[in-house]
């Protein structure tokens, strides 16, 4: 097993300290930061995503893995900035107005970051105005919205309408998700994509910006 | 027009072209299963079309298997009818609405801890009124009042008499030959009855839950519980959770009126059944008290509930409310019957919780007490020297057997107890017949035992056959299997079940249980911290909920659903909300206490609590 595989494995086990060590070790082996990111950290996060989707692992293990991923990123980020490696895309993310659920949304954030996106997390109970302001400010490729209640998912359509009237709709792709959301609902309100879980959301995001 | 024939009874109903089958079914008085309330999300309202089979919709192709679609199975809520058709609603897809269950009855005098509990708001006084003559020309009302003063030896000038009663008075008094019984309620004379009926004073207490409604008939002279019945809330066909129902009032024309009618119908059916069983006259029920979660409370009163469900989560009002039966449409009680709605605490903490606090006397206990109501909302209440904290944990319905592959409510056919060891497996089925599914208490037993023998690890992962720890017999090991790509534990083989379908627990089910128990456990931890207390400080823990009676407490502690305290300090209190409503019916003093404390209960909002995510993640493993 090479050190990149070890990084992926340590990430899956949530061993943050070991990751820091292994990433440093890999750098001394003259591996590029991009290679370590892609074949170590992102590789591990992808496996975590699949296992979570299949119920094999659960929230705590995903969070541990995410913590380990961030530990690795802490070492790599300064180097990646130096070499001028760009994030693969930008996402504005939030739970819609009236809804305070954030665990699912945070998972999506981790998976997106693990996949190489820059994520602007607006938090929970985010109004359409706040989404619009964030889109203007950050000029993201994707707007991702979460809702856990049937009573609050209606605000997703409000955000899409606001994007339309602010003439921003064509500039972004919209992903929606959350327990009551369906493909049918996404079609109905004119979202570009419905993602049933966090791992799929990251895959969908890549697909939407045509990054492969 | 389109003609719809329902099997097996061959009932016909005619509807307009293009009407929805879902609404037609509801009109026919049949209650299909539903979680989402007819939005094409849950896939529960399956029907078998025998004639006039429709093209499957997008939702149907997503939610039904190709075989089902081929057989003619459709979702009622997705089907619009343009041709005559014949429909069979499969038995497993009906909710058991005809089922009125008797509840265990208790001796209130023994059960109610307060010494002042019998102090009813209704009083009946038998009077022999002086007959009038030319020498005694006092008015009809004047002579009744004098007879009352004579009997009660106190000034009754405050007594008001409503006009409807005064209208009846002259004729009634003479028909009764001046021998009458006066009914006093809320400090007013509310009825006058012929003859001596003073021993017939009854009231009913109701607990209106999202899933179940319980109704208790109480003899207000003695405080004795005469009858106790429960019934499924008929609103369930519009969604099995509060959010779906709130949604229905928002998105459906007349949605609010429909849901109000359904809850009133449910209450009416309980009243009718109670009257039939006991032979007591409807006119002798003078007052009812109602405890309910805040959403059902609003729906019963016809108040729009939508602001309960989105931030910042507000009720229309919280205080206690007295009204007359005639103010509620089509409530089948005498128009003047008094209705007392107990105060609610917040949008998520209803009067059912307040009733539970009152029943357990948590407001004036010196020791630290904790009340856990294991329902869909899983409320937790903590008391310390009369100070009260409450939170609602959104535990979900997993412990009610809902959302679990083979889960069901704790009714006949449910596996309610399981004992699993390395070599053997034993189970108990409610009603002792063949099992149909597993209910909350059975799930708790099973998960606890699987953890103990190592079939589930601490993280909640279900072992595969390969990973099965050594020392487990082949018989048990072979129950670890794969179904539709997912690891499962087979509990009952298909040939031993009532419906010929195997009963199992899947990896996903275990995840659902983990979420539910972590929600409750983290709620408990956060409340304890708010009060600067620790688990060991809990003096007494009351476990309430209609399924709380069957639960194996030791196993509930083992899976970390309940805090690890001595079993002696945990008591099962059954339907504490219903008992609290009874108490409020029997005692004006208790109502005063409730009115006094509802504002002081500190509601802790978990969803924005800084420690919630951390506690939740810490309690989600076993």
């Amino acid at each position: 097993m090479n050190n990149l595989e070890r990084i992926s494995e340590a990430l899956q086990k949530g061993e943050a300290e070991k990751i820091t060590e292994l990433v440093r070790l890999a750098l001394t082996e003259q591996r590029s930061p991009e290679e370590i990111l892609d074949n170590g950290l992102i590789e591990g996060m992808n496996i975590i995503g699949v296992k979570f989707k299949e119920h094999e692992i659960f929230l705590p293990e995903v969070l541990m893995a995410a913590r380990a991923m961030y530990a690795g990123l802490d070492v790599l980020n300064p180097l990646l900035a130096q070499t001028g490696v760009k994030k693969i895309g930008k996402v504005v993310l939030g739970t819609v107005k009236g809804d305070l659920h954030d665990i699912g949304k945070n998972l999506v954030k981790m998976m997106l970051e693990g996949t190489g996106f820059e994520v602007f997390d607006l938090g929970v109970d985010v109004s359409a105005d706040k989404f619009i302001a964030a889109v203007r400010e950050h000029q993201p490729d994707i707007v991702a919205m979460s809702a856990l209640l049937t009573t609050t998912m209606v605000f997703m359509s409000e955000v899409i309408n606001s994007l339309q009237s602010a003439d921003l709709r064509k500039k972004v792709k919209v992903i929606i998700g959350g327990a009551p959301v369906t493909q049918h609902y996404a079609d109905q309100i004119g979202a570009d994509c419905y993602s049933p879980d966090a791992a799929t959301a990251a895959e969908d995001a890549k697909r939407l910006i045509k990054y492969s | 027009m389109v003609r719809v024939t329902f099997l097996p009874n061959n009932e016909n109903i005619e509807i307009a072209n293009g009407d929805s089958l879902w609404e037609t079914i509801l009109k026919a008085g049949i209650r299909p299963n539903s979680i989402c309330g007819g939005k094409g999300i849950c896939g529960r309202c399956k029907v078998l079309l025998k004639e006039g089979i429709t093209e499957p919709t997008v939702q149907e192709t997503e939610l039904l298997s190709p075989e089902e679609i081929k057989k003619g199975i459709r979702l009622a809520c997705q089907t619009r009818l343009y041709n005559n058709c014949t429909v069979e609603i499969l038995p497993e897809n009906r909710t058991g609405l005809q089922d009125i269950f008797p509840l265990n009855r208790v001796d209130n005098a023994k059960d109610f801890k307060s010494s002042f509990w019998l102090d009813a708001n209704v009083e009946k006084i038998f009077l022999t009124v002086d007959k009038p003559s030319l020498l005694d020309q006092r008015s009809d009302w004047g002579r009744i009042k004098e007879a009352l003063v004579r009997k009660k030896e106190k000034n009754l000038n405050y007594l008001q008499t409503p006009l409807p009663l005064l209208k009846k008075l002259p004729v009634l008094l003479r028909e009764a030959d001046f021998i009458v019984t006066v009914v006093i309620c809320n400090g007013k004379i509310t009825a006058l009855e012929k003859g001596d009926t003073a021993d017939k004073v009854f009231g009913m207490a109701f607990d209106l839950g999202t899933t179940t409604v319980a109704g208790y008939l109480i003899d207000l002279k003695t405080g004795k519980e005469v009858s106790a019945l429960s019934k499924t809330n008929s609103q369930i066909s519009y969604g099995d959770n509060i959010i779906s129902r709130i949604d229905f009032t928002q998105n459906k024309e007349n949605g609010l009126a429909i849901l109000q009618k359904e809850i009133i119908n449910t209450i009416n059916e309980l009243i009718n059944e109670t009257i039939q069983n006991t032979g007591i006259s409807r006119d002798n029920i003078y007052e009812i008290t109602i405890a309910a979660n805040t959403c059902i409370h609003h729906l019963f009163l016809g108040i729009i509930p939508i602001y309960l469900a989105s931030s910042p989560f507000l009720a229309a009002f919280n205080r206690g409310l007295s009204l007359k039966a005639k103010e509620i449409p089509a409530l089948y009680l005498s128009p003047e019957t008094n209705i007392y709605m107990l105060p609610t605490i917040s949008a998520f903490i209803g009067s059912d919780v307040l009733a539970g606090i009152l029943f357990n006397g948590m407001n004036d206990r010196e020791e630290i007490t904790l009340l856990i109501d294991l329902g869909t909302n899983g409320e937790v209440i903590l008391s310390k020297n009369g100070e009260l904290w409450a939170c609602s944990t959104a535990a979900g319905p997993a412990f009610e057997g809902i959302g679990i592959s083979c889960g069901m409510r704790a009714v006949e056919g449910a596996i309610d107890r399981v004992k699993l060891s390395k070599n053997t497996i034993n189970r108990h089925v409610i009603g002792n017949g063949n099992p149909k599914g597993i209910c909350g208490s059975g799930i708790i037993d099973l998960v606890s035992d699987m953890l103990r023998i190592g079939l589930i690890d601490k993280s909640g992962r279900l072992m595969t056959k390969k990973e099965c720890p050594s020392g487990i017999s082949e018989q048990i090991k072979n129950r670890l299997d794969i179904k539709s790509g997912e690891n499962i534990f087979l509990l009952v083989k298909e040939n031993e079940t009532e419906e010929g379908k195997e009963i199992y627990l899947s990896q996903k089910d275990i995840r659902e249980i983990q979420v539910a128990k972590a929600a409750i456990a983290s709620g408990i931890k956060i409340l304890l911290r708010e009060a600067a207390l620790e688990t060991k400080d809990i003096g007494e823990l009351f476990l309430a909920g209609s399924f709380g009676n069957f639960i194996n407490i030791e196993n509930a502690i083992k899976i970390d659903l309940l805090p690890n305290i001595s079993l002696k300090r945990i008591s099962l209190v059954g339907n504490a909300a219903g008992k609290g409503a009874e108490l409020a019916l029997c005692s004006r003093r208790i109502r005063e206490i409730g009115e006094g404390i509802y504002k002081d209960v500190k509601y802790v909002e978990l969803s924005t609590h800084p420690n919630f995510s951390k506690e939740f993640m810490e309690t989600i493993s076993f």
Side-chain angles (χ1 to χ4, degrees), chain A residues 36-51:
Chain A
I36 300 174
L37 180 69
D38 288 345
N39 300 335
L41 297 177
I42 291 179
E43 175 66 20
M45 220 43 206
N46 285 340
I47 297 174
I48 285 285
V50 170
K51 285 188 174 171

Side-chain angles (χ1 to χ4, degrees), chain B residues 11-218:
Chain B
E11 289 161 67
N12 285 313
I13 185 164
E14 294 222 323
I15 57 166
N17 218 355
D19 270 6
S20 122
L21 178 56
W22 167 261
E23 275 165 26
T24 310
I25 286 175
L26 290 174
K27 253 184 239 158
I30 301 166
R31 293 290 177 267
N33 236 333
S34 175
I35 292 176
C36 70
K39 282 200 294 289
I41 294 174
C42 72
R44 290 280 186 103
C45 58
K46 289 181 196 173
V47 291
L48 180 60
L49 294 183
K50 295 249 168 120
E51 227 178 61
I53 299 178
T54 51
E55 278 297 306
T57 64
V58 181
Q59 281 95 327
E60 284 171 330
T61 44
E62 266 178 34
L63 293 163
L64 299 171
S65 70
E67 296 88 66
E68 284 178 321
I69 286 177
K70 217 166 140 195
K71 256 200 267 172
I73 289 179
R74 294 290 181 274
L75 298 178
C77 71
Q78 295 303 310
T79 305
R80 297 205 164 265
L81 300 173
Y82 296 95
N83 297 308
N84 290 350
C85 75
T86 306
V87 182
E88 184 173 350
I89 293 141
L90 307 168
E92 66 261 34
N93 296 323
R94 284 183 188 226
T95 59
L97 279 181
Q98 309 319 320
D99 51 356
I100 294 188
F101 289 108
L103 295 164
N104 286 334
R105 297 236 308 277
V106 290
D107 178 0
N108 286 345
K110 219 167 65 192
D111 221 32
F112 291 159
K113 288 154 185 118
S114 317
S115 50
F116 46 72
W117 66 276
L118 193 55
D119 166 30
N121 190 29
V122 183
E123 190 181 11
K124 284 180 93 171
I125 303 161
F126 167 62
L127 297 177
T128 312
V129 180
D130 294 339
K131 287 188 184 173
S133 69
L134 280 172
L135 298 174
D136 177 4
Q137 290 186 315
R138 286 172 297 172
S139 69
D140 287 345
W141 172 240
R143 65 189 61 243
I144 287 177
K145 208 162 99 177
E146 199 170 67
L148 258 175
V149 173
R150 204 158 46 203
K151 190 107 176 196
K152 295 294 284 182
E153 294 172 351
K154 60 180 173 188
N155 188 351
L156 293 168
N157 274 338
Y158 65 91
L159 268 187
Q160 299 177 15
T161 12
L163 180 60
L165 197 68
L166 291 173
K167 281 183 178 167
K168 284 190 219 154
L169 180 63
V171 175
L172 187 137
L173 204 52
R174 278 155 193 89
E175 277 179 5
D177 201 20
F178 293 86
I179 294 172
V180 290
T181 302
V182 169
V183 182
I184 301 173
C185 178
N186 269 351
K188 288 179 191 160
I189 294 191
T190 54
L192 208 56
E193 295 168 0
K194 293 179 203 168
D196 181 1
T197 59
D199 61 336
K200 290 178 182 141
V201 205
F202 297 95
M204 284 190 80
F206 289 92
D207 166 31
L208 315 183
T210 310
T211 312
T212 309
V213 174
Y216 306 86
L217 182 73
I218 310 293

